[in-house]
Amino acid sequence: MSLPPGVRRLLRRRDPEREVADELSFHFEQAVAELRTRGLSAADAEREAARRFGDVVAYSRELERLDRGRLQAERGVQRWEAARDVVIHAVRSLRRAPALAAAVVLTLALGLGANVTVYGIADRLLLSPPPHLAEPGSVRRIMVDEVQPFSDARTTGEGLSYPDFQDMRHASTLADAAVWQETVLTTGHGLEARQLDGVLVSGSYFRLRGVQPVLGRLLSEEDNASDVAPAAVISYELWQREHGGLPDALGRTLSLGTTSYTIVGVLPPGFTTLRLGAAEVWLPVERAATRVVLDGRRWLALGGVARLREGAGEAAAAAELTSLLRRAQSEIELAQRDPEVLLTPVLQARGPMAPPEARVAGWLMGVALVVLLIACVNVTNLLLARMVRQRRETAVRLALGISRARLVGQFLVEGMLLGLAGGGAALLLAYWTSSSVGALLLPDVAWDRLGWPARLVPLALLAAIATGVISALIPAVQTTRTARSTVSAGLRDGDAGNAAGRRLRTGLSLAQAALSVVLLVGAGLFVRSLEAVRSLDLGYRLEHLHYVQTTFASGSVTGEEASRIRQDVLERLRGHPAVSGAAAASTAPFRTSMMSDVRLPGRDSLPRIGGQMQRVYNVTPEYFGLLGMRFIAGRPFDERDVRAGGNVVVVNESMARALWPEGDAVGACVLIASDDCSFVTGVVRDARFSSIREEGVAQYFTPLRTHGSTFILVRSRAGSAGVSEQLREAAVAVDPRIRLVQVTTARDAFAPQEREWRMGATLFTAFGLLALAVAALGLYVVLAFDVGQRTREIGVRSALGASRSSIVRLVMGRAVAVTGAGVLLGGTAAALLTPRLEPLLFGVRPHDMMTFGLVSACLLTVAVLAAAIPARRAAAVDPAVALRGD
Amino acid sequence: MPQEPLAIMQGTLDMLVLKALASEPRHGYAVTRWVRDTTDGRLDIEEGALYTALHRMERRGWIAAEWGVSENNRRAKYYSLSPEGRRQLRAQSRAWTEYADAVFQVLQSGEARA
């Protein structure tokens, strides 16, 4: 027995009470009728039927209850099936336009991917506590805010001295306190020597972090006692790499510096310093640090961290630590320095010592959002174009009685699916790029140990769905509205095109162009900054310059022997075929610098030049020639001067101008740490040795007397490969007592100087080009679509005698007008925003005309290119075909 | 004359109703009649209980219901077995037969000893 589906659906909607009543009344009619055929009276028949049935009221109620349950279950299934149908329909409808779906997914993947990447990094820097830190909420960094000795300004320093720590550690407001010193440890000897990142920690360090070892034990207070065997804890990564992850690593010795340490434990994987850096070896500070570090109250070499006692306020703890710190200082020191303890967030980037890269990361979050916005606009535009193309289908479906809400829902589900697909692709993209972008942004952070922030996944997918739905919202409402108001018009043809939709699409293109301009201007300013940094005249040449540092196992040579061996190394390297020149100096560019006061005979005090103390460089005579420094007056000192007693000095231009304004510096007498004259042999141009922002600082150069811990500077011949390794081998071969030779390039030493701009330039440019590509695609779609829509109009124009070139101009003109307006809008926005970028720029003004001009030209060019194909298609419209219509 | 009616054993109601529908779809009244006719009225089952079984099994998906037109041209609710209902009928009647066999065997052996 089967009924047509329509009838069945109708019946399913009936309410249970009526159905049961109908069913039972049929039953009784039949029963009574049959009983009467057996000769019962009407009354008897009814009585007998009722007796056979039982309690009619109770059974009816039970039957209704059962039916209601059944209907409810059926409705649930129906609802689920309806949802499934909507999704299937959406998938089918997207599959019919694969190119569009791909474009949308790609756009979303790029826009969302940029965001996931940047937010992942920001999350790591600013939100997630360092790994393996128990109850991070109660942990604070200890910093000291005080007046700096040479600058008179108050600044915050992250360094504590070991005696300071001893004073503070038992503060009543603290549950625990610990200090650490990050250092580089040498292991092995000669050519096999290598360096490991190490951390010297107080016995409380691991207890404070609340970390458990994966093997053995961690360091405690006892390991800092002087009468136990020196112990070391190694990272999980080192354990895997060098001990194959085998338990017999415990008990092995590590020879570091002059001491042998026994490995007693292995840290869990992914353990980093509190500054998120990688470290391989952890040693007890009292055993591994020098006496100076442990005893010197002004030796601010240690990082401090505290865990607040439960219930103790941060302010109270800071006040107690301040009073403990001040108690140990003399009246004079207190008056001079006025120190105050600050308890700051344990995340470096949240505290006062945030690296500038963290600031750039903040900007990048804004930039990534703009990229997402552009992507959103683009998706909206693409969907609008498609939905207008589907207008006929929409009109048919509306005419068939499908509700508008259901159609809007359909479009939104499509948006959701697209968003989800885009989000998935974005997560893949972010997963692949996060650690390289992170490494570019903050190379000191151990991204590989921190792992990928998986907790962002649900958030990212949610954002992806939201993006998809938001992008689909306008098109959905727009299409169903117009399609409904003109169902018949929609069914005919759409060249009357909806003006509102066209205005909307134009507006969106304009917004995209404007946003691209903002990003590209930012990119341009960073690129120009980077260029300015790269082409900066440092006062010397960095190219092919290497630093060679030689160290000995301590105690193996006397100071004089070391000095002599270093001189031998210098001579050996100077004679090396790959080397064009060599010199020795107390410091190397962008390494360290020393400050020292000078006096002039007959003058009490000297003006502070450039607001800073003079910087002193002890150098061999070849230094000036080797670096390529230029003399303004006089000459460099030479071997004869040095042999004749060496009381000679070279000063820089700023110092000469400040001390001898009449220009009579050469031959003048300077008193350097003694009452004997050093005579100025020459004046050299200012050089930037410490920072690229170093300007007007007084520098002077005196002959290098002993080769203490010096740098040997070597200029290699252009085109010689593997120079660093050659230099290292040559230097190690000079004497067996040499423990370690490090060769670095001046470029590497300089790299941190340009990092901020390289990073800004790279990421802004990447994002800017991304935005531009997306915007160009958007403009192309809008124009192509418009040309398609206006075929008839264009046909009329050419039938009326419009030339092909005038039709090309029509399309091009529109592209240029839209983009031009976008450039104007974006340029204005950029001009308002860029002054806030100023502290991040170098050698370029925030309203750099060249950048703004180039970006505008670039955008207009792209607009013309994007318009080229639609314009050609418009010009090729055959009026006869167009006017015939379809 | 009909004998004294037997009390209906639990769990057999469903099986009887399924059996009633096994040969053809029937409406509720036809089911009650079939049960009465095939048992010669020996099972004292309230017809309301049969209806309850019908609706319960409809909810479980063992039988399907449709409104149709009866022999005398009246609207009636027809029930038919679903594939699941057919499976249930097979399984339950097999279990019932085995049970009855076992009980019968026990009773037989008792008679033999006596």
Side-chain angles (χ1 to χ4, degrees):
Chain A
M1 179 101 230
S2 97
L3 288 164
V7 177
R8 226 185 297 171
R9 197 163 49 234
L10 251 175
L11 290 175
R12 220 181 267 169
R13 284 194 192 143
R14 299 187 48 156
D15 63 296
E17 272 171 51
R18 273 190 55 191
E19 285 212 4
V20 170
D22 285 359
E23 187 178 19
L24 295 187
S25 66
F26 170 76
H27 173 89
F28 283 107
E29 272 171 32
Q30 296 284 317
V32 169
E34 197 190 318
L35 288 167
R36 290 197 64 178
T37 58
R38 295 206 200 145
L40 271 73
S41 69
D44 285 349
E46 276 179 25
R47 212 171 301 126
E48 174 60 11
R51 190 195 62 78
R52 284 178 179 179
F53 192 86
D55 186 343
V56 181
V57 177
Y59 277 123
S60 297
R61 223 166 268 151
E62 173 66 7
L63 296 182
E64 286 160 18
R65 193 185 64 78
L66 285 167
D67 284 8
R68 253 193 299 278
R70 193 192 75 231
L71 287 175
Q72 253 167 28
E74 277 174 4
R75 266 198 293 274
V77 171
Q78 276 174 338
R79 230 172 269 145
W80 189 84
E81 279 173 350
R84 199 190 51 188
D85 284 351
V86 167
V87 171
I88 289 174
H89 187 274
V91 169
R92 269 195 211 129
S93 137
L94 289 175
R95 225 193 261 159
R96 275 203 303 275
L100 173 113
V104 169
V105 169
L106 185 71
T107 309
L108 284 177
L110 294 174
L112 284 163
N115 276 273
V116 176
T117 302
V118 170
Y119 281 82
I121 289 167
D123 173 75
R124 191 68 257 180
L125 289 181
L126 299 168
L127 299 176
S128 297
H132 298 290
L133 177 63
E135 292 172 51
S138 62
V139 177
R140 301 283 184 282
R141 286 289 306 277
I142 305 173
M143 297 196 182
V144 179
D145 186 69
E146 61 182 1
V147 176
Q148 296 299 304
F150 295 118
S151 71
D152 303 341
R154 257 192 113 75
T155 54
T156 304
E158 50 184 333
L160 283 185
S161 75
Y162 199 62
D164 288 342
F165 165 64
Q166 300 286 16
D167 291 340
M168 293 178 187
R169 63 187 306 180
H170 298 299
S172 65
T173 48
L174 299 187
D176 212 344
V179 285
W180 77 90
Q181 183 185 18
E182 289 170 28
T183 182
V184 177
L185 302 160
T186 305
T187 168
H189 190 99
L191 280 178
E192 280 81 51
R194 51 196 190 84
Q195 298 196 299
L196 291 174
D197 288 318
V199 186
L200 316 184
V201 294
S202 63
S204 50
Y205 184 84
F206 292 115
R207 186 179 65 217
L208 187 141
R209 287 198 59 171
V211 61
Q212 296 302 320
V214 293
L215 187 67
R217 64 175 180 87
L218 298 177
L219 301 174
S220 67
E221 308 286 3
E222 289 85 69
D223 291 300
N224 278 296
S226 55
D227 54 353
V228 296
V233 164
I234 59 173
S235 71
Y236 181 86
E237 290 76 12
L238 184 76
W239 181 49
Q240 291 293 324
R241 204 167 58 232
E242 304 210 340
H243 301 278
L246 297 172
D248 65 0
L250 293 187
R252 287 206 198 163
T253 56
L254 259 178
S255 181
L256 300 167
T258 54
T259 315
S260 280
Y261 295 87
T262 307
I263 298 173
V264 297
V266 178
L267 282 162
F271 190 85
T272 68
T273 67
L274 287 174
R275 289 145 51 110
L276 308 179
E280 312 297 356
V281 183
W282 305 68
L283 304 175
V285 65
E286 294 215 12
R287 305 306 300 273
T290 59
R291 241 20 279 170
V292 189
V293 169
L294 295 175
D295 298 338
R297 198 167 272 282
R298 290 308 304 165
W299 207 267
L300 307 177
L302 302 162
V305 59
R307 187 182 288 283
L308 303 180
R309 191 176 289 284
E310 209 166 308
E314 189 179 299
E320 187 188 6
L321 294 183
T322 300
S323 78
L324 289 171
L325 179 72
R326 293 176 77 102
R327 195 180 295 164
Q329 300 197 354
S330 70
E331 289 291 318
I332 299 170
E333 279 176 317
L334 287 179
Q336 275 179 350
R337 302 187 194 277
D338 188 25
E340 186 193 345
V341 171
L342 301 181
L343 292 176
T344 66
V346 71
L347 284 167
Q348 188 85 354
R350 296 260 295 262
M353 303 298 284
E357 289 84 355
R359 237 179 350 171
V360 178
W363 272 92
L364 279 175
M365 296 215 287
V367 169
L369 261 188
V370 173
V371 172
L372 183 61
L373 207 60
I374 294 178
C376 242
V377 169
N378 207 38
V379 171
T380 302
N381 238 341
L382 286 168
L383 292 180
L384 261 180
R386 164 155 167 280
M387 285 169 182
V388 173
R389 211 174 301 141
Q390 281 187 340
R391 200 168 43 188
R392 196 178 302 213
E393 185 196 325
T394 309
V396 169
R397 296 181 70 195
L398 280 171
L400 284 178
I402 290 173
S403 77
R404 193 174 156 216
R406 177 134 180 227
L407 264 183
V408 170
Q410 187 78 55
F411 287 135
L412 293 186
V413 167
E414 280 176 30
M416 200 178 85
L417 287 178
L418 288 170
L420 211 55
L427 282 171
L428 278 181
L429 203 68
Y431 184 78
W432 286 326
T433 57
S434 275
S435 69
S436 50
V437 173
L440 177 71
L441 204 63
L442 293 164
D444 298 332
V445 171
W447 295 104
D448 50 335
R449 288 199 190 173
L450 292 171
W452 196 68
R455 68 197 196 111
L456 282 182
V457 170
L459 199 71
L461 287 180
L462 219 63
I465 291 173
T467 308
V469 170
I470 291 169
S471 303
L473 197 61
I474 297 177
V477 172
Q478 179 81 20
T479 321
T480 51
R481 187 196 293 145
T482 54
R484 186 152 108 141
S485 61
T486 56
V487 169
S488 54
L491 285 172
R492 256 184 274 119
D493 184 17
D495 81 325
N498 52 79
R502 200 174 143 213
R503 266 200 304 278
L504 186 62
R505 289 194 301 277
T506 309
L508 291 175
S509 289
L510 194 150
Q512 278 188 317
L515 290 170
S516 307
V517 167
V518 173
L519 289 191
L520 285 173
V521 164
L525 291 176
F526 271 102
V527 170
R528 297 261 289 149
S529 294
L530 183 63
E531 233 171 55
V533 171
R534 289 236 166 111
S535 62
L536 183 69
D537 180 9
L538 296 170
Y540 55 95
R541 288 183 298 116
L542 282 177
E543 289 68 37
H544 307 299
L545 197 61
H546 303 261
Y547 306 160
V548 180
Q549 278 173 286
T550 312
T551 43
F552 304 92
S554 73
S556 67
V557 290
T558 64
E560 282 140 50
E561 281 173 322
S563 178
R564 197 178 41 71
I565 294 171
R566 286 201 177 96
Q567 271 188 34
D568 291 347
V569 172
L570 175 60
E571 293 310 321
R572 180 74 61 91
L573 294 182
R574 191 174 280 147
H576 195 280
V579 169
S580 65
S586 55
T587 73
F590 300 106
R591 282 291 187 217
T592 52
S593 68
M594 288 189 284
M595 292 188 262
S596 171
D597 239 334
V598 298
R599 291 173 296 133
L600 291 190
R603 286 172 73 170
D604 287 342
S605 68
L606 298 177
R608 188 153 277 184
I609 301 155
Q612 295 189 39
M613 276 178 83
Q614 295 89 335
R615 291 171 195 267
V616 57
Y617 303 87
N618 308 127
V619 301
T620 56
E622 311 84 19
Y623 182 85
F624 305 101
L626 179 80
L627 287 188
M629 298 179 75
R630 272 158 294 166
F631 277 79
I632 295 166
R635 58 170 180 84
F637 47 75
D638 57 24
E639 285 300 335
R640 285 196 313 275
D641 299 323
V642 176
R643 272 197 299 277
N647 285 333
V648 283
V649 61
V650 166
V651 300
N652 77 343
E653 197 178 346
S654 291
M655 185 162 166
R657 201 180 300 130
L659 301 186
W660 301 280
E662 275 83 50
D664 48 357
V666 176
C669 165
V670 185
L671 304 175
I672 301 166
S674 82
D675 289 333
D676 297 331
C677 271
S678 291
F679 295 99
V680 176
T681 64
V683 178
V684 75
R685 279 195 44 204
D686 286 6
R688 295 170 210 245
F689 284 129
S690 311
S691 139
I692 54 168
R693 297 202 193 261
E694 181 178 351
E695 260 175 299
V697 175
Q699 300 160 328
Y700 67 91
F701 304 82
T702 59
L704 182 74
R705 280 165 221 285
T706 63
H707 294 252
S709 60
T710 51
F711 288 86
I712 295 172
L713 294 109
V714 169
R715 179 92 61 192
S716 63
R717 294 183 198 283
S720 31
V723 177
S724 290
E725 202 41 40
Q726 288 184 39
L727 295 176
R728 200 162 91 92
E729 282 169 19
V732 167
V734 169
D735 193 286
R737 283 168 292 179
I738 294 174
R739 167 134 200 213
L740 173 74
V741 172
Q742 285 169 274
V743 181
T744 46
T745 66
R747 270 274 157 226
D748 288 342
F750 180 72
Q753 297 289 322
E754 58 174 35
R755 186 193 291 165
E756 239 178 284
W757 295 287
R758 197 180 53 217
M759 185 185 87
T762 312
L763 292 177
F764 263 93
T765 305
F767 284 159
L769 289 181
L770 196 63
L772 186 66
V774 169
L777 179 69
L779 185 65
Y780 166 78
V781 169
V782 167
L783 290 173
F785 181 74
D786 257 21
V787 168
Q789 288 273 298
R790 294 164 73 191
T791 309
R792 196 169 298 184
E793 180 202 328
I794 293 167
V796 170
R797 278 171 191 264
S798 53
L800 291 177
S803 65
R804 286 171 67 99
S805 67
S806 75
I807 286 170
V808 167
R809 267 204 305 279
L810 185 75
V811 177
M812 288 279 183
R814 182 155 138 68
V816 171
V818 170
T819 310
V823 166
L824 222 59
L825 189 68
T828 314
L832 291 174
L833 280 171
T834 49
R836 307 194 58 186
L837 263 183
E838 184 147 29
L840 297 174
L841 301 179
F842 185 85
V844 57
R845 288 182 309 115
H847 290 159
D848 182 50
M849 288 318 289
M850 188 169 144
T851 304
F852 277 77
L854 270 177
V855 167
S856 307
C858 172
L859 240 85
L860 291 172
T861 311
V862 167
V864 169
L865 288 178
I869 295 175
R872 262 187 42 197
R873 203 176 302 152
V877 166
D878 181 343
V881 175
L883 289 174
R884 219 176 291 131
D886 49 358
Chain B
M1 273 318 294
Q3 303 164 353
E4 192 67 4
L6 293 169
I8 182 71
M9 297 183 84
Q10 268 209 325
T12 53
L13 204 54
D14 287 355
M15 195 172 53
L16 287 176
V17 172
L18 287 173
K19 184 69 187 170
L21 296 173
S23 51
E24 57 176 344
R26 297 175 200 267
H27 47 68
Y29 177 72
V31 171
T32 60
R33 263 208 51 192
W34 183 87
V35 171
R36 196 153 16 89
D37 291 353
T38 42
T39 59
D40 296 333
R42 275 183 295 160
L43 296 181
D44 180 25
I45 307 171
E46 281 191 333
E47 288 165 350
L50 288 174
Y51 274 93
T52 311
L54 282 168
H55 283 240
R56 189 172 55 235
M57 289 192 290
E58 185 192 358
R59 185 175 172 181
R60 283 187 200 151
W62 295 0
I63 58 182
E66 283 167 327
W67 285 89
V69 182
S70 72
E71 315 79 64
N72 54 357
N73 241 353
R74 300 271 292 111
R75 238 169 56 77
K77 195 175 176 188
Y78 279 84
Y79 296 91
S80 58
L81 277 192
S82 72
E84 175 59 24
R86 213 164 279 285
R87 259 194 300 281
Q88 286 292 334
L89 174 61
R90 255 200 310 276
Q92 288 192 14
S93 45
R94 191 182 314 121
W96 175 257
T97 313
E98 277 171 19
Y99 177 71
D101 275 356
V103 172
F104 188 64
Q105 214 171 333
V106 169
L107 295 176
Q108 290 267 315
S109 66
E111 272 171 12
R113 252 202 315 271

